[in-house]
Amino acid sequence: MKPLCIIPLIFLYSLVSAQQEPAENSVPEEVDKFIQLYQFSNALTLLNAIEDSLSLDVLKRKGTCYHLLGNYNDAIKAYEKIVEIDSTNNGALNALGQLYAKEKQFGGSIMCYSKLIAMDSLNSYYYKQFGIVGLQAGIPGVAFQNFAKAIALNPGDIESCAHLAEMLIKGDRPDFAEKYLRKTLAVSSSSHLKLLLAKAQMGGKKYNAAINTVEPFLIRGDTTLEYARIMGICLFQLKKYEEAIPWLDHLLDNDMHAEWVYYHLGISYQNLNKHTVAINYFN
């Protein structure tokens, strides 16, 4: 699961524009029309012609347009000017937090989300974003702490739960991963979280439980390679070799030619006393 962009970019426009609009809008209506039509270069042409370059209205829209055009440096400059004028503008701080992370300026991003959390310590969204920055920066402790806080505030936060569970499964703590996954699955439905639950159960050697988690998806005909992998491994570990073989064959048929697949097939046939067949997989 990629910890990248954090909210749909066009939403930044509405989020930042919601901050302290003055009674009179100094921006021509055509600018907003261009933005709504995704014509960001046309909008910037009009914005750059406005004399009041320190107007919050102008800076917000410039930041949005530059961001959506992928010109992150100029977007950062626009949002930084907003924060210089209004240090508590949460829309600009959130946009900066994302942009700094995109540019690998993680110190700046951490400062932005730390400030946002200090301003609104019960906003689970800020903790989630801070967790994503922790992942991007390679600081697992920061990521874990903030994802856990996000889930504590909002148990239905599927994205935070998924990130946290993946970290715990990779860190050989499937028991804790299962705990968090069950908490979120109790209040929301997510096939991705169910898949992670099966992985956590498999990692904890709860092979029958993992099979039970996956089977409803198989009944619906949702036979992904991940489900097939879980079924093949779990049935193999339960020594149900005849049942494991079709799932392992399914992986090979779908170009998953990993060494472990051949090894599991070879051992399965060997334990079924089909030694001639087994040799083909060991070779």
Side-chain angles (χ1 to χ4, degrees), residues 46-175:
L46 295 178
L47 288 166
N48 288 327
I50 297 173
E51 291 185 6
D52 187 2
S53 61
L54 295 181
S55 162
L56 287 181
D57 284 332
V58 173
L59 291 170
K60 290 175 217 176
R61 289 162 174 81
K62 278 188 175 182
T64 299
C65 291
Y66 284 128
H67 193 166
L68 292 164
L69 287 170
N71 186 343
Y72 300 145
N73 286 330
D74 284 334
I76 286 172
K77 290 176 185 177
Y79 290 127
E80 283 178 339
K81 285 182 181 178
I82 292 174
V83 174
E84 287 176 12
I85 298 167
D86 175 12
S87 63
T88 62
N89 191 298
N90 58 4
L93 286 167
N94 180 56
L96 278 172
Q98 294 187 43
L99 286 161
Y100 285 142
K102 283 179 180 291
E103 294 295 283
K104 301 190 185 305
Q105 299 176 29
F106 297 116
S109 187
I110 288 170
M111 287 179 62
C112 287
Y113 285 113
S114 296
K115 186 169 185 176
L116 285 165
I117 288 170
M119 290 163 51
D120 186 359
S121 62
L122 298 179
N123 191 324
S124 66
Y125 172 79
Y126 295 147
Y127 290 101
K128 174 168 67 176
Q129 301 310 104
F130 203 165
I132 291 171
V133 170
L135 280 183
Q136 293 173 323
I139 312 174
V142 170
F144 182 91
Q145 180 181 3
N146 283 283
F147 287 137
K149 182 65 175 179
I151 296 170
L153 290 169
N154 178 17
D157 185 344
I158 292 172
E159 187 178 5
S160 291
C161 183
H163 282 306
L164 191 58
E166 286 175 345
M167 291 179 67
L168 288 165
I169 291 168
K170 290 176 182 176
D172 293 325
R173 292 312 307 260
D175 50 338

Side-chain angles (χ1 to χ4, degrees), residues 1-3 128 131-132 135 143-144 146-148 150-151 154-171 176-185 188 190-197 199-200:
M1 191 174 181
K2 290 185 177 180
K128 174 168 67 176
I132 291 171
L135 280 183
F144 182 91
N146 283 283
F147 287 137
I151 296 170
N154 178 17
D157 185 344
I158 292 172
E159 187 178 5
S160 291
C161 183
H163 282 306
L164 191 58
E166 286 175 345
M167 291 179 67
L168 288 165
I169 291 168
K170 290 176 182 176
F176 282 110
E178 184 173 356
K179 173 186 170 184
Y180 282 108
L181 287 162
R182 288 195 180 281
K183 183 177 180 181
T184 298
L185 283 168
S188 63
S190 165
S191 58
H192 182 59
L193 293 189
K194 284 284 183 71
L195 173 60
L196 288 173
L197 176 60
K199 287 183 176 180

